[in-house]
Amino acid sequence: MPAKAAFYDVDGTLVKTNVVHVYAYYAMNRGSILGMAGRTLSTVASLPLFGVLDSFNRKVFNEFFYRYYEGLSEDRLLTVAEDMFEDVLKPALYEQSKDLIAEARRSGCRIVLVTGALDFAMRPLARYLGADELIANKMQFVGGNATGKVIPPIIEGANKANAIRDYCAKEGLSLAHCHGYSDSSSDYAMLAIVGRPTAVNPDMRLRSIARAYNWPILDLK
Amino acid sequence: MRPIKTLQKLYDEESQVVITEKGSPPRALFSGENFLLEDLPVGTRVIFPRPPMEGVPNVKAAIRWAINHPEGMDPLHALLRPGMKLTCVIDDISVPLPPMVTPDVRQSILEVVLELAADSGVDDVHLLIANALHRRMTEGEMRRMVGTKIFDAYYPDRYYNHDAEDPDGIVELERTAHNEVVAVNRRVAESDLIVYVNVNFVPMNGGHKSMGTGVTNYASLRAHHNPKTIRDSDSYMEPKASALYKSNSRIGTVIDKHLKVFHIETTLNNRMFGGPTDFLAKKEEDYTEADRLKFQALRFTLGKIPRAAARKVLNAIPAPYDVTGVFAGATEPVHVKTLEMSWKQYSVPVQGQSDIVIFPIPFISPYSVNSILNPLLVQVMGLGYFFNLNRGIPLVKKGGVLILLHPAYDEFDPEHHPSYIEFFNRILPETRDSMKLEHKYEREFAENPSYVHLYRKGNAYHGVHPFYMWYWGENGRQHVGKVIVAGAENNHVPALLGWDRTDTLTEAIEEARGFMGRSATISLLRIAPTLLADVKL
């Protein structure tokens, strides 16, 4: 059997939360009371806008969203990432996520997380799940502070598929034997290029796509 | 239907084989969730099931007698001691078909065994469903099988489904002389005593197969669930002609060497229909006016309501089987008695094979309880089970034609049969060759993490199961010259399965005669209830 990998989207697929919660956590941990209050309020005020943008275009959403990191120091972000994993991500993990990953590993798959979230925020999770590789967005830092810009290409939609294709080419994996897992129809491209796509807790659109193409549908709890 | 008074003399009431005469009544035949009413050509041999045997008058007393007078082992009470680990392993919902009216015989056995265990100071008792790679039974099904009292006392911690994919849940005992893996559930391996609670529906069930396939894993099942073993088995129902049975015996012998297994096997009669549907078990010649009306009403209703509703109606009718025998003790001597009783109920002597054989396919199979009989399961019913319902030689001649009655609809249950969908739509268009399927795709499906997950956490058949279903039809495929599915409602399902299709049975018979010659002999297996053709040349 050729070498293969299982690619997992993170938000909504392995964990119940999404990038908005992660950002909210950073905002809450701004350091000063005033800063915390200010960030929290502006985040809360922006939530409806995030929602609209997310449903409209994930790419625009991500670009818009990451600007909120501007000015935060790298050290601070890394420290908070560890806390954020313990406080936000770990409790939000679906109970069956680890089993799903263990089953993929038993069948000989490499484990790769593919997420639109930022790499430093996802690294503790990747370590916890024993992932072999993390494909995530990278924040640009200048002088130790985040610029609020993400180093292109932004990992979302079709770019997730490209990143997976490149990874398979680089590692000599058979794309046709690889597995893909996602909850969102915005990841259709990523699911469509792997030989074994699976919809996990899918949104309505992905559920109908999965039914049309006879992809397995998993409901993680 | 025609009046039949004048026809009474034309057949022997005792005989299970009726030769169709001019003026014989049309036959009421299952075709999925509905019935066909068909006139058969003169000279067609219709083979009916035997009437149901008398059941034991008191089931609990029969169970008590059997466990106190076991074959080749000490009585059960002598095997129990305080502080021991006892596991009762139970056959899953795939038998009997349809599920029996409550109390299920498994409940009756457990009520006796658990009481005895409690009286003997045995507290560490687990109830394990031997579902192998079948789907996990749902909570409701588990409750129905053992009754509320036992369910409430044991579920979910001490009454659960076997998990063939639990990485820590399987223990490999050793290998047989043929290098077959012998692996069993960890709880079973660590028990001081195992009581196997069996329901024997056809002679293929029971014996070494119970433990050998019920509580093991894919690695062990691969030893005999493969195309080669199936091809080497002349009959599934007759142990001495079955390579499958022999492989299970080798595995079972190793299990018996390592573990103490006390089998309790039960046989049922074939009273599949009761109450308002009891006429379905009669010969059409014996139908009363009331029976005809009931049949027409049932057929009309099932034809008018949506198929899913028809399925629900039919699945909701349990069968009033009677228990005809209870046998307990060591695997082999117990199973000999079970087989004897089984043949007594099901065997119908038939003289000679036929060129054309007709199988009406009903709505149910061992793998579609409370679900849909998808195209692969239609295939396994026709070419796997019905083709093999015989002793020695098949009812149809080598190179003959099988006619299956079923709508052959393209419907799958994504909850119970997710990997079947991919097998049917992706793999079958590429090849129908079992050997190629086994070598190229079987492992991929078996190890697919999504299917493993759906098997372990949902109620899905294991990813590899559609392959087993395809292999199961291997003997039939190798034997027959042509398969025609009469009444198929589309072209692509029969085409993917490699079959011809016709709209009606009459057209199918015409086509079969075109293939086999005008003088071709025809037999119809009037099933259900269950019967086994004992074909003599």
Side-chain angles (χ1 to χ4, degrees), chain A residues 78-124:
Chain A
L78 290 177
T79 313
V80 176
E82 294 292 338
D83 294 348
M84 192 268 300
F85 168 67
E86 290 296 333
D87 295 348
V88 180
L89 288 182
K90 206 168 154 189
L93 259 175
Y94 290 114
E95 269 177 44
Q96 296 169 345
S97 295
K98 283 197 94 169
D99 291 343
L100 190 63
I101 288 172
E103 279 149 14
R105 194 173 283 292
R106 271 204 293 148
S107 77
C109 289
R110 281 194 218 178
I111 308 301
V112 183
L113 305 187
V114 188
T115 172
L118 290 165
D119 57 350
F120 56 79
M122 289 294 131
R123 213 161 280 135

Short mmCIF file of all heavy atoms in Angstrom, two decimals, chain A residues 78-124:
data_model
loop_
_atom_site.label_atom_id
_atom_site.label_comp_id
_atom_site.label_asym_id
_atom_site.label_seq_id
_atom_site.Cartn_x
_atom_site.Cartn_y
_atom_site.Cartn_z
N LEU A 78 2.99 33.47 21.97
CA LEU A 78 3.38 32.06 22.20
C LEU A 78 2.96 31.61 23.59
O LEU A 78 2.47 30.49 23.77
CB LEU A 78 4.89 31.89 22.03
CG LEU A 78 5.39 32.02 20.59
CD1 LEU A 78 6.92 31.91 20.55
CD2 LEU A 78 4.77 30.94 19.70
N THR A 79 3.12 32.46 24.58
CA THR A 79 2.75 32.10 25.94
C THR A 79 1.25 31.90 26.03
O THR A 79 0.77 30.92 26.60
CB THR A 79 3.16 33.22 26.93
OG1 THR A 79 4.50 33.60 26.65
CG2 THR A 79 3.02 32.77 28.36
N VAL A 80 0.55 32.88 25.45
CA VAL A 80 -0.91 32.77 25.52
C VAL A 80 -1.41 31.55 24.74
O VAL A 80 -2.40 30.94 25.11
CB VAL A 80 -1.56 34.09 25.02
CG1 VAL A 80 -3.08 33.96 25.01
CG2 VAL A 80 -1.16 35.25 25.89
N ALA A 81 -0.66 31.18 23.67
CA ALA A 81 -1.08 30.02 22.87
C ALA A 81 -1.16 28.77 23.74
O ALA A 81 -2.10 27.97 23.60
CB ALA A 81 -0.10 29.81 21.72
N GLU A 82 -0.19 28.60 24.62
CA GLU A 82 -0.19 27.42 25.50
C GLU A 82 -1.40 27.44 26.42
O GLU A 82 -2.09 26.44 26.59
CB GLU A 82 1.10 27.37 26.34
CG GLU A 82 2.37 27.15 25.52
CD GLU A 82 2.45 25.76 24.88
OE1 GLU A 82 1.78 24.83 25.36
OE2 GLU A 82 3.19 25.62 23.87
N ASP A 83 -1.64 28.65 27.01
CA ASP A 83 -2.79 28.76 27.91
C ASP A 83 -4.09 28.56 27.14
O ASP A 83 -5.03 27.90 27.60
CB ASP A 83 -2.83 30.17 28.55
CG ASP A 83 -1.65 30.39 29.47
OD1 ASP A 83 -0.97 29.39 29.78
OD2 ASP A 83 -1.41 31.54 29.86
N MET A 84 -4.10 29.17 25.95
CA MET A 84 -5.31 29.09 25.12
C MET A 84 -5.64 27.63 24.76
O MET A 84 -6.79 27.22 24.77
CB MET A 84 -5.07 29.91 23.85
CG MET A 84 -6.28 30.19 23.01
SD MET A 84 -6.51 28.96 21.76
CE MET A 84 -5.01 29.11 20.85
N PHE A 85 -4.59 26.85 24.52
CA PHE A 85 -4.82 25.43 24.22
C PHE A 85 -5.48 24.74 25.40
O PHE A 85 -6.48 24.03 25.25
CB PHE A 85 -3.50 24.75 23.87
CG PHE A 85 -3.62 23.26 23.83
CD1 PHE A 85 -4.38 22.63 22.85
CD2 PHE A 85 -3.01 22.47 24.80
CE1 PHE A 85 -4.52 21.26 22.83
CE2 PHE A 85 -3.15 21.09 24.78
CZ PHE A 85 -3.91 20.49 23.81
N GLU A 86 -4.89 24.98 26.60
CA GLU A 86 -5.43 24.32 27.80
C GLU A 86 -6.85 24.79 28.12
O GLU A 86 -7.71 23.98 28.47
CB GLU A 86 -4.53 24.60 29.01
CG GLU A 86 -3.17 23.91 28.97
CD GLU A 86 -3.27 22.38 29.01
OE1 GLU A 86 -4.26 21.85 29.57
OE2 GLU A 86 -2.36 21.71 28.46
N ASP A 87 -7.07 26.11 27.96
CA ASP A 87 -8.35 26.68 28.41
C ASP A 87 -9.46 26.59 27.35
O ASP A 87 -10.63 26.46 27.69
CB ASP A 87 -8.17 28.16 28.81
CG ASP A 87 -7.26 28.30 30.01
OD1 ASP A 87 -6.98 27.25 30.64
OD2 ASP A 87 -6.81 29.41 30.29
N VAL A 88 -9.08 26.74 26.08
CA VAL A 88 -10.11 26.82 25.04
C VAL A 88 -10.16 25.57 24.15
O VAL A 88 -11.21 24.95 24.00
CB VAL A 88 -9.90 28.08 24.14
CG1 VAL A 88 -10.97 28.16 23.06
CG2 VAL A 88 -9.90 29.34 24.99
N LEU A 89 -9.00 25.24 23.57
CA LEU A 89 -9.03 24.17 22.56
C LEU A 89 -9.23 22.78 23.16
O LEU A 89 -10.05 22.00 22.68
CB LEU A 89 -7.75 24.19 21.73
CG LEU A 89 -7.60 25.36 20.75
CD1 LEU A 89 -6.30 25.23 19.98
CD2 LEU A 89 -8.77 25.40 19.77
N LYS A 90 -8.49 22.48 24.20
CA LYS A 90 -8.54 21.12 24.75
C LYS A 90 -9.95 20.76 25.24
O LYS A 90 -10.47 19.69 24.88
CB LYS A 90 -7.52 20.96 25.87
CG LYS A 90 -7.07 19.53 26.07
CD LYS A 90 -5.85 19.52 26.98
CE LYS A 90 -5.75 18.20 27.70
NZ LYS A 90 -4.70 18.27 28.74
N PRO A 91 -10.59 21.66 25.99
CA PRO A 91 -11.97 21.29 26.39
C PRO A 91 -12.93 21.23 25.22
O PRO A 91 -13.97 20.58 25.31
CB PRO A 91 -12.37 22.44 27.34
CG PRO A 91 -11.13 23.18 27.67
CD PRO A 91 -10.16 22.94 26.56
N ALA A 92 -12.58 21.92 24.11
CA ALA A 92 -13.50 21.95 22.96
C ALA A 92 -13.28 20.78 22.01
O ALA A 92 -14.03 20.60 21.06
CB ALA A 92 -13.35 23.27 22.21
N LEU A 93 -12.23 20.01 22.25
CA LEU A 93 -11.98 18.84 21.37
C LEU A 93 -13.16 17.87 21.45
O LEU A 93 -13.64 17.58 22.55
CB LEU A 93 -10.75 18.09 21.86
CG LEU A 93 -9.41 18.30 21.16
CD1 LEU A 93 -8.34 17.54 21.91
CD2 LEU A 93 -9.46 17.85 19.72
N TYR A 94 -13.62 17.40 20.32
CA TYR A 94 -14.64 16.34 20.36
C TYR A 94 -14.01 15.11 21.02
O TYR A 94 -12.85 14.80 20.77
CB TYR A 94 -15.10 15.97 18.95
CG TYR A 94 -15.91 17.04 18.28
CD1 TYR A 94 -15.42 17.70 17.15
CD2 TYR A 94 -17.16 17.40 18.76
CE1 TYR A 94 -16.18 18.69 16.52
CE2 TYR A 94 -17.90 18.37 18.15
CZ TYR A 94 -17.42 19.02 17.03
OH TYR A 94 -18.15 19.99 16.43
N GLU A 95 -14.81 14.46 21.83
CA GLU A 95 -14.28 13.29 22.55
C GLU A 95 -13.71 12.25 21.59
O GLU A 95 -12.75 11.57 21.88
CB GLU A 95 -15.41 12.62 23.34
CG GLU A 95 -15.56 13.14 24.74
CD GLU A 95 -16.74 12.50 25.43
OE1 GLU A 95 -16.89 11.28 25.28
OE2 GLU A 95 -17.52 13.22 26.08
N GLN A 96 -14.34 12.17 20.42
CA GLN A 96 -13.95 11.09 19.51
C GLN A 96 -12.83 11.50 18.54
O GLN A 96 -12.38 10.68 17.75
CB GLN A 96 -15.18 10.62 18.73
CG GLN A 96 -16.21 10.00 19.66
CD GLN A 96 -17.54 9.77 18.99
OE1 GLN A 96 -17.81 10.30 17.92
NE2 GLN A 96 -18.39 8.98 19.61
N SER A 97 -12.36 12.76 18.63
CA SER A 97 -11.32 13.21 17.71
C SER A 97 -10.05 12.37 17.85
O SER A 97 -9.43 11.98 16.86
CB SER A 97 -10.97 14.67 17.96
OG SER A 97 -12.06 15.49 17.66
N LYS A 98 -9.67 12.12 19.09
CA LYS A 98 -8.43 11.36 19.29
C LYS A 98 -8.55 9.93 18.77
O LYS A 98 -7.61 9.39 18.20
CB LYS A 98 -8.05 11.33 20.79
CG LYS A 98 -7.43 12.64 21.25
CD LYS A 98 -6.69 12.48 22.56
CE LYS A 98 -5.22 12.21 22.31
NZ LYS A 98 -4.40 12.31 23.52
N ASP A 99 -9.74 9.35 18.94
CA ASP A 99 -9.96 7.99 18.42
C ASP A 99 -9.83 7.98 16.90
O ASP A 99 -9.24 7.09 16.31
CB ASP A 99 -11.38 7.50 18.76
CG ASP A 99 -11.55 7.27 20.24
OD1 ASP A 99 -10.52 7.16 20.91
OD2 ASP A 99 -12.70 7.20 20.71
N LEU A 100 -10.44 9.00 16.29
CA LEU A 100 -10.43 9.08 14.82
C LEU A 100 -9.01 9.15 14.31
O LEU A 100 -8.62 8.46 13.36
CB LEU A 100 -11.21 10.33 14.40
CG LEU A 100 -11.53 10.46 12.92
CD1 LEU A 100 -12.44 9.34 12.47
CD2 LEU A 100 -12.21 11.82 12.65
N ILE A 101 -8.19 9.96 15.00
CA ILE A 101 -6.79 10.09 14.61
C ILE A 101 -6.03 8.79 14.88
O ILE A 101 -5.22 8.35 14.06
CB ILE A 101 -6.16 11.30 15.33
CG1 ILE A 101 -6.72 12.58 14.70
CG2 ILE A 101 -4.64 11.28 15.25
CD1 ILE A 101 -6.37 13.86 15.40
N ALA A 102 -6.35 8.16 16.00
CA ALA A 102 -5.67 6.89 16.32
C ALA A 102 -5.99 5.83 15.26
O ALA A 102 -5.13 5.04 14.87
CB ALA A 102 -6.12 6.40 17.69
N GLU A 103 -7.25 5.84 14.79
CA GLU A 103 -7.63 4.86 13.77
C GLU A 103 -6.90 5.11 12.45
O GLU A 103 -6.49 4.19 11.76
CB GLU A 103 -9.16 4.89 13.56
CG GLU A 103 -9.90 4.10 14.62
CD GLU A 103 -11.27 4.65 14.95
OE1 GLU A 103 -11.78 5.49 14.18
OE2 GLU A 103 -11.83 4.27 15.98
N ALA A 104 -6.73 6.39 12.12
CA ALA A 104 -5.99 6.73 10.90
C ALA A 104 -4.53 6.30 11.02
O ALA A 104 -3.94 5.76 10.08
CB ALA A 104 -6.08 8.23 10.64
N ARG A 105 -3.99 6.51 12.21
CA ARG A 105 -2.59 6.13 12.40
C ARG A 105 -2.42 4.62 12.32
O ARG A 105 -1.47 4.12 11.72
CB ARG A 105 -2.09 6.65 13.76
CG ARG A 105 -0.60 6.59 13.89
CD ARG A 105 -0.11 7.26 15.14
NE ARG A 105 -0.10 8.70 15.09
CZ ARG A 105 0.71 9.45 14.33
NH1 ARG A 105 1.57 8.86 13.53
NH2 ARG A 105 0.66 10.74 14.37
N ARG A 106 -3.38 3.89 12.87
CA ARG A 106 -3.31 2.42 12.81
C ARG A 106 -3.34 1.92 11.38
O ARG A 106 -2.79 0.88 11.05
CB ARG A 106 -4.50 1.82 13.57
CG ARG A 106 -4.22 1.59 15.04
CD ARG A 106 -5.12 0.52 15.59
NE ARG A 106 -6.51 0.93 15.60
CZ ARG A 106 -7.53 0.12 15.44
NH1 ARG A 106 -7.31 -1.16 15.22
NH2 ARG A 106 -8.77 0.57 15.48
N SER A 107 -4.06 2.66 10.52
CA SER A 107 -4.14 2.20 9.14
C SER A 107 -2.94 2.69 8.33
O SER A 107 -2.88 2.48 7.12
CB SER A 107 -5.44 2.68 8.49
OG SER A 107 -5.35 4.04 8.15
N GLY A 108 -1.97 3.32 9.00
CA GLY A 108 -0.73 3.68 8.33
C GLY A 108 -0.69 5.08 7.76
O GLY A 108 0.16 5.38 6.91
N CYS A 109 -1.62 5.94 8.21
CA CYS A 109 -1.64 7.31 7.69
C CYS A 109 -0.72 8.22 8.51
O CYS A 109 -0.63 8.08 9.72
CB CYS A 109 -3.05 7.89 7.79
SG CYS A 109 -4.22 7.19 6.66
N ARG A 110 -0.10 9.17 7.82
CA ARG A 110 0.52 10.28 8.55
C ARG A 110 -0.60 11.24 8.93
O ARG A 110 -1.59 11.36 8.20
CB ARG A 110 1.47 11.03 7.63
CG ARG A 110 2.77 10.32 7.50
CD ARG A 110 3.75 11.27 6.88
NE ARG A 110 4.58 10.51 5.97
CZ ARG A 110 5.52 11.07 5.23
NH1 ARG A 110 5.70 12.37 5.27
NH2 ARG A 110 6.25 10.32 4.44
N ILE A 111 -0.42 11.93 10.03
CA ILE A 111 -1.48 12.82 10.50
C ILE A 111 -1.08 14.27 10.21
O ILE A 111 -0.03 14.72 10.67
CB ILE A 111 -1.72 12.64 12.01
CG1 ILE A 111 -1.96 11.17 12.35
CG2 ILE A 111 -2.88 13.52 12.49
CD1 ILE A 111 -3.13 10.53 11.64
N VAL A 112 -1.90 14.97 9.45
CA VAL A 112 -1.60 16.35 9.09
C VAL A 112 -2.81 17.23 9.40
O VAL A 112 -3.92 16.93 8.97
CB VAL A 112 -1.26 16.45 7.58
CG1 VAL A 112 -0.88 17.89 7.22
CG2 VAL A 112 -0.15 15.49 7.20
N LEU A 113 -2.57 18.29 10.17
CA LEU A 113 -3.65 19.25 10.43
C LEU A 113 -3.55 20.36 9.39
O LEU A 113 -2.46 20.88 9.14
CB LEU A 113 -3.53 19.84 11.83
CG LEU A 113 -3.47 18.87 13.01
CD1 LEU A 113 -3.53 19.64 14.33
CD2 LEU A 113 -4.61 17.86 12.95
N VAL A 114 -4.66 20.71 8.78
CA VAL A 114 -4.68 21.76 7.78
C VAL A 114 -5.71 22.79 8.23
O VAL A 114 -6.91 22.50 8.26
CB VAL A 114 -5.11 21.22 6.39
CG1 VAL A 114 -4.94 22.29 5.33
CG2 VAL A 114 -4.30 19.99 6.04
N THR A 115 -5.25 23.96 8.63
CA THR A 115 -6.19 24.89 9.25
C THR A 115 -5.93 26.34 8.83
O THR A 115 -4.78 26.72 8.56
CB THR A 115 -6.13 24.78 10.79
OG1 THR A 115 -6.90 25.82 11.35
CG2 THR A 115 -4.71 24.84 11.32
N GLY A 116 -7.00 27.08 8.81
CA GLY A 116 -6.90 28.50 8.51
C GLY A 116 -6.49 29.32 9.73
O GLY A 116 -6.26 30.52 9.64
N ALA A 117 -6.36 28.66 10.89
CA ALA A 117 -5.93 29.38 12.09
C ALA A 117 -4.42 29.63 12.00
O ALA A 117 -3.75 29.17 11.07
CB ALA A 117 -6.26 28.55 13.32
N LEU A 118 -3.89 30.36 12.98
CA LEU A 118 -2.47 30.70 12.94
C LEU A 118 -1.62 29.59 13.53
O LEU A 118 -2.02 28.92 14.48
CB LEU A 118 -2.24 32.00 13.70
CG LEU A 118 -2.85 33.22 12.96
CD1 LEU A 118 -2.94 34.41 13.87
CD2 LEU A 118 -2.06 33.54 11.70
N ASP A 119 -0.44 29.43 12.95
CA ASP A 119 0.37 28.26 13.32
C ASP A 119 0.73 28.22 14.80
O ASP A 119 0.63 27.19 15.43
CB ASP A 119 1.62 28.17 12.43
CG ASP A 119 2.47 29.43 12.49
OD1 ASP A 119 2.00 30.42 13.08
OD2 ASP A 119 3.61 29.39 11.97
N PHE A 120 1.10 29.38 15.37
CA PHE A 120 1.52 29.34 16.78
C PHE A 120 0.36 28.96 17.69
O PHE A 120 0.55 28.34 18.72
CB PHE A 120 2.17 30.67 17.22
CG PHE A 120 1.30 31.88 17.01
CD1 PHE A 120 0.29 32.19 17.89
CD2 PHE A 120 1.51 32.70 15.90
CE1 PHE A 120 -0.50 33.31 17.68
CE2 PHE A 120 0.72 33.81 15.69
CZ PHE A 120 -0.31 34.12 16.58
N ALA A 121 -0.85 29.32 17.28
CA ALA A 121 -2.01 28.99 18.11
C ALA A 121 -2.35 27.50 18.02
O ALA A 121 -2.92 26.91 18.93
CB ALA A 121 -3.21 29.82 17.66
N MET A 122 -2.00 26.89 16.91
CA MET A 122 -2.38 25.49 16.67
C MET A 122 -1.30 24.49 17.08
O MET A 122 -1.55 23.30 17.17
CB MET A 122 -2.71 25.28 15.18
CG MET A 122 -4.00 25.93 14.75
SD MET A 122 -5.39 25.11 15.57
CE MET A 122 -6.28 26.52 16.21
N ARG A 123 -0.09 25.03 17.28
CA ARG A 123 1.03 24.10 17.53
C ARG A 123 0.82 23.22 18.78
O ARG A 123 1.07 22.02 18.73
CB ARG A 123 2.35 24.88 17.60
CG ARG A 123 3.51 24.05 17.06
CD ARG A 123 4.71 24.88 16.68
NE ARG A 123 4.59 25.51 15.39
CZ ARG A 123 4.91 26.79 15.15
NH1 ARG A 123 5.34 27.56 16.12
NH2 ARG A 123 4.79 27.27 13.95
N PRO A 124 0.37 23.80 19.89
CA PRO A 124 0.16 22.92 21.07
C PRO A 124 -0.86 21.82 20.79
O PRO A 124 -0.70 20.69 21.24
CB PRO A 124 -0.37 23.89 22.14
CG PRO A 124 0.06 25.25 21.70
CD PRO A 124 0.09 25.22 20.21
#
